[in-house]
Amino acid sequence: MGQGLDFAEIGLADRHGPVPGVMQMEGHGLMEWGDAPGWGALLFSAAALWVSLKAQKDGKRAADVAEATLARQIAAEEEAARPRVDLRLEHEVKDAYRLRNDGAAPARNIVFKDQELPYIFGLKGNEEVSLEQGEAVAFLMAGSIPPQLFAQWDGQEEWVPVRVPPKG
């Protein structure tokens, strides 16, 4: 290894003598010593970029999970705070009952599941009934009375059991 490069050796006959800062390495060609820190910085920068992109991707994933969790929590709180219908049956005398809405929301177009109704069931001529909060309607129910009836109303997709109180 020499201290410099002789231009005559590489075919540049018009200039002779070593060039400062350039060194010839056997079997490796030319390399400037000033390039080594640059290459090191490039490798370091590439590694830092990879780590940064990975952290950004992980951070986005964590943010997406947190956002979805917050959205579910808000939806659950809104659902819990939503006014509810609370239908109750009250026995008055003999075959007379009252259907009452003790909930905080109105129940519009209440219907009962036909398969569960007793033989005699007179709720305003079997029409749909609507009850505001605290409102009640009288009706007759006789025959083989089940322990509960199933009701639906506007906005309530599932059948809701309504307990039938015992006579007495």
Side-chain angles (χ1 to χ4, degrees):
M1 276 204 238
Q3 275 297 74
L5 175 66
D6 186 358
F7 281 99
E9 290 178 10
I10 60 170
L12 298 175
D14 59 333
R15 294 185 88 185
H16 295 287
V19 176
V22 176
M23 184 173 125
Q24 182 176 0
M25 298 177 64
E26 292 180 33
H28 296 291
L30 299 178
M31 180 180 129
E32 291 189 27
W33 282 110
D35 289 349
W39 284 108
L42 177 65
L43 289 175
F44 183 75
S45 296
L49 177 63
W50 181 81
V51 168
S52 173
L53 292 175
K54 178 92 169 117
Q56 182 181 13
K57 184 178 177 185
D58 291 345
K60 182 173 178 1
R61 190 175 311 138
D64 290 345
V65 168
E67 186 176 315
T69 301
L70 180 61
R72 281 193 304 271
Q73 182 180 1
I74 289 171
E77 288 172 1
E78 287 174 354
E79 179 65 21
R82 184 175 62 92
R84 304 249 186 243
V85 171
D86 184 15
L87 296 180
R88 299 208 186 275
L89 286 173
E90 301 168 346
H91 179 252
E92 290 189 324
V93 293
K94 296 187 181 184
D95 296 331
Y97 290 83
R98 289 181 75 72
L99 176 63
R100 176 177 303 281
N101 179 6
D102 284 340
R108 306 262 189 254
N109 302 316
I110 302 166
V111 293
F112 287 92
K113 198 178 214 182
D114 289 336
Q115 297 91 333
E116 306 294 328
L117 295 178
Y119 181 69
I120 298 174
F121 186 80
L123 183 62
K124 284 192 176 178
N126 287 336
E127 294 177 13
E128 293 176 344
V129 173
S130 294
L131 296 173
E132 296 297 321
Q133 177 183 359
E135 191 176 14
V137 63
F139 69 99
L140 295 175
M141 186 166 53
S144 178
I145 298 174
Q148 64 186 6
L149 301 177
F150 291 90
Q152 277 184 327
W153 52 90
D154 290 352
Q156 177 61 45
E157 302 287 326
E158 303 285 323
W159 290 102
V160 176
V162 180
R163 189 181 75 76
V164 176
K167 289 184 179 182

